[in-house]
């Protein structure tokens, strides 16, 4: 079937969180379905789409630079178009709308987070009529997961169960660019999961800004533990989820870490700060003591669980004592991984109006100290696996060495091992192999494959 996209090539550049990565897979799915061909390099692409993030200022500035520099990239030889079509979507598209084409006049299409499905129509209009095609909606009319996907890997799938966020943490732009929280009916989630399992998917990651509140809007009360039970029953080998808000993590969900076969022993539980005063100013609605109690219960249910977290350093008004509380909490928990962020002021959020900005040098000093602690605690946490035999879901070859396979342990650690004779890393991708760990570093484990299966 001939469509306006037949013989066109496209490339998507994605920034930000898994939501965006997943949205990019949906866009790729739609464009491929219409006959367009995915390419890796911008030089080879007739259509370039940027899926953008504005959670911190750095991502923002980078996007404007990248789009501006596209002007100088020549068209590929043989293209049927007279001009490369450039589209910006995702969270900056949602936030800035028309403002984007004012600042970047060579941009053709702007779309937001609520209308992924409009992209083919907007692109077609840009190709046929030229001009600026800008469409940003205030709220979603349907769940974007009803769109097709082109997944990056055959063996892994992201499965959004909620979109949007109702939490309004005082520093965060996400509720403004992703809208109110909306849950997807349980039957639809299970049906999609079953399709993935039938297609050979080994690992499903449930997605939402706060998966723990799943169902509150649909069923009156959260039902995330039921989602976990239903997903386990599909027979999927590995189940993960992100992200969890500590205020909504229930005993029922914690208990699933001991009772469900497929739920992997790893949890990302963003703490943001270890100081009660800062947590209150952030509108996080839990205390340090509550968070530490969750950690205790999680380790009671699943002694080997690997915890990871997010921390913001330099929130307005953060004192030395507040930071020490965060430092001590990170030390006490002993995370496998901590994503550390310097506070970034986002216009339109309540925190942007707060006074008492922490001087840059002070923030940097705190940040550096924390990063050092994070590294030494991560190194220690990985030592627990020395000598262990772990099941590794192979992702392919290590970036540095074709002879090494790289994959993920149940605890989500990166694992490297020499590719066994007679096969290749690529052939093993998507299978689960057992690796005996003989080296544990800060950010990865390595060892020998003891048997493939
Ligand atoms: N819904 C998820 C992810 C939100 S964004 C959650 O609640 O965890 C991912 C991380 O970015 C947050 O956890 C937070 O640590 C960080 N972040 C968000 N806004 C920020 C800001 N204005 N400055 C610095 N870091 C920020
Ligand atoms: Fe942002 Fe808080 Fe919502 Fe996470 S829970 S997306 S940090 S407002
Ligand atoms: Fe960024 Fe939007 Fe995700 S702002 S973190 S891409 S929801």
């Amino acid at each position: 079937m001939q469509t306006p996209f037949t013989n066109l090539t496209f490339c998507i550049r994605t920034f930000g969180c898994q939501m965006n990565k997943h949205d990019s897979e949906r866009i790729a799915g739609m464009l491929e379905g219409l006959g367009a061909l995915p390419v890796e390099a911008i030089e080879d692409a007739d259509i370039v789409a940027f899926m953008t993030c504005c959670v911190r200022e750095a991502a923002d500035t980078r996007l404007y630079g990248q789009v501006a520099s596209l002007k100088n990239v020549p068209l590929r030889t043989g293209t049927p178009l007279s001009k490369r079509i450039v589209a910006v979507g995702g969270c900056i598209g949602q936030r800035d709308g028309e403002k984007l084409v004012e600042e970047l006049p060579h941009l053709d299409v702007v779309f937001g987070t609520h209308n992924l499905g409009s992209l083919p129509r907007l692109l077609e209009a840009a190709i046929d009529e030229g001009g600026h095609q800008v469409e940003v909606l205030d709220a979603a009319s349907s769940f974007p997961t009803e769109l097709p996907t082109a997944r990056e890997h055959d063996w892994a799938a992201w499965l959004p169960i909620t979109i949007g966020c109702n939490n309004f943490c005082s520093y965060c732009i996400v509720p403004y660019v992703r809208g109110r929280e909306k849950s997807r009916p349980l039957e639809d989630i299970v049906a999609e999961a079953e399709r993935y399992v039938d297609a050979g998917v080994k690992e499903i990651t449930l997605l939402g800004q706060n998966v723990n509140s799943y169902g509150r809007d649909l069923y009156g009360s959260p039902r995330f533990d039921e989602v976990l039970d239903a997903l386990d029953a599909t027979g999927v080998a590995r189940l993960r989820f992100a992200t969890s808000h500590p205020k909504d993590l229930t005993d029922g969900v914690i208990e699933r870490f001991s009772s469900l076969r497929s739920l992997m022993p790893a949890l990302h539980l963003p703490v943001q700060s270890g100081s009660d005063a800062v947590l209150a100013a952030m509108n996080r609605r839990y205390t340090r003591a509550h968070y530490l109690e969750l950690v205790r219960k999680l380790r009671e249910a699943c002694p080997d669980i690997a915890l990871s977290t997010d921390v913001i350093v330099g929130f307005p008004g953060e004192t030395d004592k507040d930071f020490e509380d965060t430092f001590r909490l990170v030390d006490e928990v002993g995370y496998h991984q901590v994503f550390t962020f310097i506070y970034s002021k986002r216009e339109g959020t309540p925190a942007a109006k707060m006074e008492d900005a922490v001087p840059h040098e002070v923030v940097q000093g705190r940040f550096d100290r924390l990063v050092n602690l994070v590294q030494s605690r991560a190194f220690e946490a990985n030592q627990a696996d020395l000598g262990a035999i772990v099941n590794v879901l192979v992702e392919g070859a290590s970036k540095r060495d074709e002879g090494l396979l790289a994959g993920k342990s149940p605890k989500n650690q990166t694992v490297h091992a020499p590719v066994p004779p007679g096969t290749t890393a690529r052939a093993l991708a998507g299978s689960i192999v057992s690796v005996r760990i003989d080296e544990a570093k800060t950010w990865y484990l390595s060892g020998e494959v003891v048997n493939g299966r």
Side-chain angles (χ1 to χ4, degrees):
M1 188 186 63
Q2 196 74 10
T3 79
F5 295 92
T6 312
N7 300 327
L8 295 187
T9 57
F10 71 95
C11 142
I12 305 175
R13 288 283 180 268
T14 309
F15 305 86
C17 66
Q18 283 156 334
M19 268 313 164
N20 250 12
K21 292 183 184 146
H22 178 74
D23 285 350
S24 293
E25 293 184 339
R26 298 278 173 191
I27 291 180
M30 283 188 288
L31 296 179
E32 285 179 38
L34 289 166
L37 215 68
V39 292
E40 280 295 316
I42 283 185
E43 291 76 19
D44 298 331
D46 301 322
I47 300 169
V48 180
F50 291 91
M51 289 299 280
T52 59
C53 173
C54 52
V55 78
R56 285 171 292 275
E57 195 179 354
D60 243 85
T61 338
R62 209 168 347 132
L63 185 262
Y64 276 83
Q66 290 217 1
V67 176
S69 70
L70 261 189
K71 266 195 303 213
N72 310 323
V73 181
L75 281 174
R76 72 174 170 107
T77 42
T79 177
L81 299 186
S82 54
K83 171 190 184 306
R84 178 177 284 112
I85 300 293
V86 184
V88 169
C91 295
I92 298 182
Q94 183 69 32
R95 187 195 59 187
D96 292 352
E98 284 284 346
K99 208 183 107 200
L100 273 160
V101 293
E102 285 159 23
E103 290 193 28
L104 300 162
H106 66 297
L107 204 58
D108 304 283
V109 171
V110 177
F111 60 109
T113 55
H114 301 306
N115 60 340
L116 292 187
S118 307
L119 182 63
R121 176 171 50 77
L122 296 170
L123 290 172
E124 202 181 322
I127 294 167
D128 291 347
E129 301 156 24
H132 295 138
Q133 305 292 333
V134 180
E135 183 184 284
V136 175
L137 306 182
D138 286 341
S141 56
S142 66
F143 215 92
T145 49
E146 284 144 25
L147 304 170
T149 46
R151 281 180 291 108
E152 192 181 344
H153 300 297
D154 293 339
W155 66 88
W158 284 313
L159 209 171
I161 64 167
T162 66
I163 51 172
C165 182
N166 289 352
N167 290 311
F168 291 95
C169 301
S170 63
Y171 49 82
C172 184
I173 193 90
V174 170
Y176 306 91
V177 288
R178 290 275 167 176
R180 291 300 66 72
E181 184 177 281
K182 225 173 160 177
S183 304
R184 192 172 173 209
L186 188 53
E187 314 78 83
D188 294 3
I189 296 171
V190 173
E192 186 166 359
E194 282 171 345
R195 281 201 301 279
Y196 288 145
V197 174
D198 287 346
V201 165
K202 298 275 175 52
E203 177 171 286
I204 293 180
T205 304
L206 303 174
L207 290 185
Q209 298 298 348
N210 176 16
V211 288
N212 293 290
S213 59
Y214 169 83
R216 199 174 268 154
D217 55 323
L218 276 185
Y219 307 112
S221 58
R223 289 175 55 176
F224 183 53
D225 43 7
E226 286 174 49
V227 180
L228 293 175
D229 294 344
L231 264 282
D232 188 65
T234 63
V236 68
R238 291 182 164 200
L239 180 60
R240 302 185 188 276
F241 57 84
T243 307
S244 271
H245 195 306
K247 78 176 164 59
D248 296 313
L249 179 63
T250 61
D251 290 347
V253 171
I254 293 175
E255 188 272 327
R256 297 318 191 267
F257 280 101
S258 71
S259 63
L260 293 187
R261 167 197 57 79
S262 62
L263 189 57
M264 291 291 106
L267 177 67
H268 185 61
L269 192 63
V271 68
Q272 313 299 358
S273 169
S275 149
D276 283 341
V278 174
L279 287 172
M282 287 177 163
N283 190 31
R284 289 290 287 178
R285 288 173 281 168
Y286 55 85
T287 59
R288 168 196 182 85
H290 177 77
Y291 186 93
L292 289 172
E293 178 61 9
L294 292 176
V295 170
R296 192 194 61 74
K297 286 184 188 169
L298 283 159
R299 290 197 164 134
E300 192 175 79
C302 179
D304 204 28
I305 196 164
L307 298 173
S308 57
T309 200
D310 294 346
V311 171
I312 296 177
V313 179
F315 187 79
E318 183 187 72
T319 62
D320 283 338
K321 156 129 192 351
D322 292 324
F323 176 72
E324 289 311 316
D325 286 346
T326 300
F327 190 89
R328 279 193 301 117
L329 183 138
V330 168
D331 196 25
E332 211 174 309
V333 176
Y335 292 101
H336 272 74
Q337 192 164 24
V338 181
F339 299 92
T340 43
F341 303 109
I342 286 181
Y343 169 72
S344 169
K345 183 172 168 176
R346 305 285 62 207
E347 279 319 323
T349 62
K353 295 196 202 76
M354 291 179 188
E355 287 164 9
D356 278 344
V358 186
H360 180 71
E361 322 76 70
V362 176
V363 180
Q364 195 64 52
R366 289 176 188 168
F367 183 83
D368 294 346
R369 263 187 74 205
L370 187 63
V371 168
N372 276 328
L373 173 71
V374 165
Q375 289 179 355
S376 67
R377 300 300 275 126
F379 180 82
E380 284 164 35
N382 278 342
Q383 303 311 305
D385 290 305
L386 272 180
I389 296 192
V390 302
N391 289 332
V392 176
L393 176 56
V394 180
E395 295 178 343
S398 129
K399 284 197 195 83
R400 280 171 296 142
D401 184 348
E402 276 291 312
L404 282 182
L405 63 81
K408 286 283 160 59
S409 72
K411 291 195 264 181
N412 219 13
Q413 297 141 301
T414 297
V415 181
H416 292 161
V419 177
T423 183
T424 62
R426 181 184 276 203
L428 286 173
S431 60
I432 294 178
V433 299
S434 298
V435 175
R436 195 195 55 246
I437 302 302
D438 49 35
E439 198 179 14
K441 303 278 206 189
T442 306
W443 300 129
Y444 68 93
L445 307 173
S446 54
E448 299 283 331
V449 175
V450 287
N451 72 315
R453 73 179 157 92

